[in-house]
Amino acid sequence: ADSALAFSSNNTNDASVALNCMISFTKAVRLGDTLTAESILIADTRKTAVYDITVTNQHKVMVASFRGTVYKIDKKVTDL
């Protein structure tokens, strides 16, 4: 989920850093499970953005819910 936040919040080449993150684990995972994280931008301002990320297993069962807030640092990812 944290990698999904990083990819989502930096995909326009405007660099962002995590400001606040919260995760709730809703179901146990097992060795061999295939996990998928889907990120949705739910709020976007000039300096911050909020993303909801849902993690599911190979059976499309939600195993975790993550909300991340990022701060936009006025730099380009390619310049870091």
Side-chain angles (χ1 to χ4, degrees):
D2 58 338
S3 292
L5 177 66
F7 287 122
S8 296
S9 63
N10 291 290
N11 72 354
T12 62
N13 198 33
D14 294 317
S16 298
V17 295
L19 188 60
N20 184 51
C21 298
M22 183 181 75
I23 190 165
S24 297
F25 299 101
T26 56
K27 190 165 178 97
V29 297
R30 302 195 185 284
L31 184 63
D33 279 353
T34 300
L35 303 180
T36 302
E38 180 181 358
S39 177
I40 299 172
L41 175 63
I42 60 168
D44 192 18
T45 69
R46 187 176 61 82
K47 296 303 287 180
T48 63
V50 179
Y51 293 84
D52 273 349
I53 298 158
T54 302
V55 181
T56 56
N57 66 13
Q58 68 274 18
H59 304 294
K60 306 291 187 214
V61 174
M62 184 175 72
V63 298
S65 177
F66 179 100
R67 176 165 283 185
T69 302
V70 297
Y71 179 77
K72 300 172 188 177
I73 61 172
D74 290 327
K75 293 185 181 180
K76 296 296 182 187
V77 172
T78 53
D79 294 335
L80 298 177

